[in-house]
Amino acid sequence: MYLVESKGGAIACMLLALFFLGTWPAIMTLLERRGRLPQHTYLDYTLTNLLAAIVIALTFGEIGKGSPEQPNFIAQLSQDNWPSVLFAMAGGVVLSLGNLSTQYAWAFVGLSVTEVITASITVVIGTTLNYFLDDKINRAEILFPGVGCFLIAVCLGSAVHSSNAADNKAKLIELREAGYPSASKEATTNKELKDLENANGTTEKAKAGTADFLVELENRRAIKVFGKSTFVGLAITFFAGVCFSLFSPAFNLATNDQWHTLKEGVPKLVVYTAFFYFSVSCFVLALILNITFLYRPVLDLPRSSFKAYLNDWNGRGWAFLAGLLCGFGNGLQFMGGQAAGYAAADAVQALPLVSTFWGILLFGEYRRSSRRTYILLGSMLFMFIVAVAVLMASSGHRK
């Protein structure tokens, strides 16, 4: 069994995890914006997410010989370690709920802001819990200023969202004044959307950041957001953040048994075994909920069926890639956390830095925005860089 034992190796795991966990949401958002139903996308995603955990367990978890204190993955499956297994599975349940919720929040609140809010809640609650669960192996004088930097970045992110929303509203008002009054009401019918989409009398693709682009996106995407309260998206986002804040402490308890729930002589769960059970529960819950949502959709989505899902190959490869990135990203985060402390591993919650990059590059977020929005955006990204650096500098070494 391979274990990360150096601080440098732990930081390398966290950096890779940061990239992977910041990229898969962009892929999922891309598919929703292209019109693919989120139920179909998430079912594909969850298959490869579980596959990543199995691959990690059967490779890293089986390298070399195990020991009585740290058995290999397969050997540990038959041991009496169910209290720790249940903690791992509980972590998978809350992560599955969080990931499923954010898939809908991205449409209402936007990729960057959704990730910022969920990351902030995760850092404030999850990192604090992990600090005490890890017996304070992280340097508090560095760790908590890092948490503070994250909160500053969150405030800046909220300001970015408000400023950008005001910019978009101004664009739609300008389009209304050009002779399309329904733009001011955020058109809700297909006819209104088509009229707005062709506002300039042309079928050319709208440029990112324009009012035509905003309406064209609404006409194409799977989750319709015009005319709906932003409170719905924010409520979903905050619920997801609370879920995310609990999965890492649950995994921490599963692998380190701080509450001494295992019988004497039973070894603690190794990170690979815990990650396997974690991913299995994540998979089962996602399967149940998304098959239910096929027939009983939420947020006014069209009804689908399992047969329709099986026949929907539009974007399936991208959904599979998103699942692999998320699975390997979570695995790397836990591998780094086992060595350097899960509080420091929560530095990957700076993933909005990556997601914002993809949001700007792929989706044209903040294009043609005001100078105020650009200043706030630059400040937010800078603070995220400071936050991840400070949290990583706080990493200790588990004895």
Side-chain angles (χ1 to χ4, degrees):
M1 177 183 62
Y2 174 77
L3 289 176
V4 177
E5 297 181 348
S6 68
K7 182 175 179 178
I11 290 177
C13 286
M14 288 185 262
L15 286 173
L16 277 174
L18 174 64
F19 175 75
F20 289 170
L21 294 176
T23 298
W24 78 266
I27 296 174
M28 302 281 273
T29 302
L30 176 65
L31 293 176
E32 184 274 323
R33 286 179 169 225
R34 288 181 174 179
R36 193 167 197 245
L37 289 178
Q39 306 98 304
H40 294 187
T41 299
Y42 204 89
L43 284 169
D44 288 337
Y45 151 89
T46 198
L47 291 171
T48 49
N49 187 58
L50 176 62
L51 177 62
I54 295 173
V55 169
I56 289 174
L58 293 177
T59 52
F60 291 108
E62 287 292 311
I63 292 176
K65 292 182 179 181
S67 64
E69 294 78 19
Q70 293 181 328
N72 283 348
F73 165 67
I74 293 178
Q76 195 162 48
L77 292 178
S78 60
Q79 294 178 346
D80 185 15
N81 45 30
W82 279 104
S84 292
V85 168
L86 291 176
F87 277 123
M89 296 182 77
V93 166
V94 291
L95 178 68
S96 185
L97 289 172
N99 283 341
L100 182 60
S101 300
T102 55
Q103 189 180 22
Y104 293 91
W106 292 325
F108 285 91
V109 184
L111 177 63
S112 303
V113 175
T114 298
E115 297 302 305
V116 163
I117 293 175
T118 55
S120 70
I121 298 173
T122 300
V123 169
V124 172
I125 301 176
T127 301
T128 302
L129 290 175
N130 277 324
Y131 172 72
F132 291 103
L133 287 173
D134 282 337
D135 197 24
K136 305 178 182 179
I137 69 172
N138 300 96
R139 299 170 62 187
E141 68 275 15
I142 299 179
L143 176 65
F144 288 106
V147 173
C149 290
F150 239 125
L151 289 175
I152 293 172
V154 169
C155 294
L156 289 169
S158 300
V160 170
H161 173 58
S162 297
S163 180
N164 192 56
D167 294 343
N168 289 340
K169 184 177 180 180
K171 293 171 188 175
L172 291 172
I173 290 175
E174 184 178 346
L175 188 61
R176 177 203 62 189
E177 292 175 347
Y180 296 87
S182 55
S184 64
K185 302 177 183 177
E186 295 187 327
T188 57
T189 68
N190 286 335
K191 183 180 183 302
E192 288 172 331
L193 289 169
K194 284 293 183 184
D195 290 344
L196 285 170
E197 188 174 329
N198 299 317
N200 295 324
T202 176
T203 57
E204 292 181 3
K205 186 176 180 180
K207 295 182 179 180
T210 63
D212 290 334
F213 175 82
L214 297 175
V215 178
E216 182 183 276
L217 171 62
E218 176 71 7
N219 196 34
R220 183 177 63 244
R221 71 187 317 158
I223 303 174
K224 306 302 182 184
V225 299
F226 277 10
K228 294 181 181 178
S229 172
T230 56
F231 175 77
V232 174
L234 289 173
I236 297 171
T237 302
F238 277 97
F239 172 76
V242 173
C243 290
F244 288 146
S245 71
L246 298 176
F247 86 85
S248 180
F251 195 91
N252 194 349
L253 285 167
T255 54
N256 294 300
D257 191 35
Q258 290 95 332
W259 291 353
H260 307 292
T261 57
L262 293 174
K263 295 179 181 178
E264 186 175 353
V266 177
K268 300 173 184 176
L269 281 189
V270 297
V271 66
Y272 307 109
T273 309
F275 186 46
F276 171 76
Y277 284 115
F278 173 93
S279 299
V280 167
S281 66
C282 190
F283 169 79
V284 171
L285 182 62
L287 204 63
I288 294 171
L289 290 178
N290 281 281
I291 290 177
T292 301
F293 289 160
L294 288 176
Y295 298 94
R296 295 180 179 274
V298 296
L299 299 174
D300 298 326
L301 281 162
R303 194 175 181 215
S304 185
S305 66
F306 195 72
K307 182 179 179 181
Y309 157 68
L310 293 176
N311 292 329
D312 181 11
W313 286 89
N314 181 26
R316 175 156 285 162
W318 285 109
F320 284 156
L321 175 60
L324 289 173
L325 288 173
C326 183
F328 283 112
N330 283 326
L332 287 166
Q333 177 187 3
F334 296 144
M335 289 167 65
Q338 184 65 14
Y342 288 98
D346 279 341
V348 300
Q349 296 308 324
L351 59 89
L353 179 67
V354 179
S355 295
T356 299
F357 169 79
W358 290 122
I360 294 171
L361 185 68
L362 293 178
F363 311 133
E365 289 186 346
Y366 311 114
R367 297 275 180 88
R368 294 176 171 82
S369 292
S370 64
R371 181 180 178 184
R372 179 175 183 269
T373 298
Y374 288 135
I375 292 174
L376 289 170
L377 179 63
S379 301
M380 182 192 74
L381 296 179
F382 172 76
M383 192 53 64
F384 266 116
I385 293 172
V386 173
V388 71
V390 172
L391 260 67
M392 286 187 171
S394 76
S395 61
H397 187 75
R398 195 180 303 281
K399 297 178 180 179

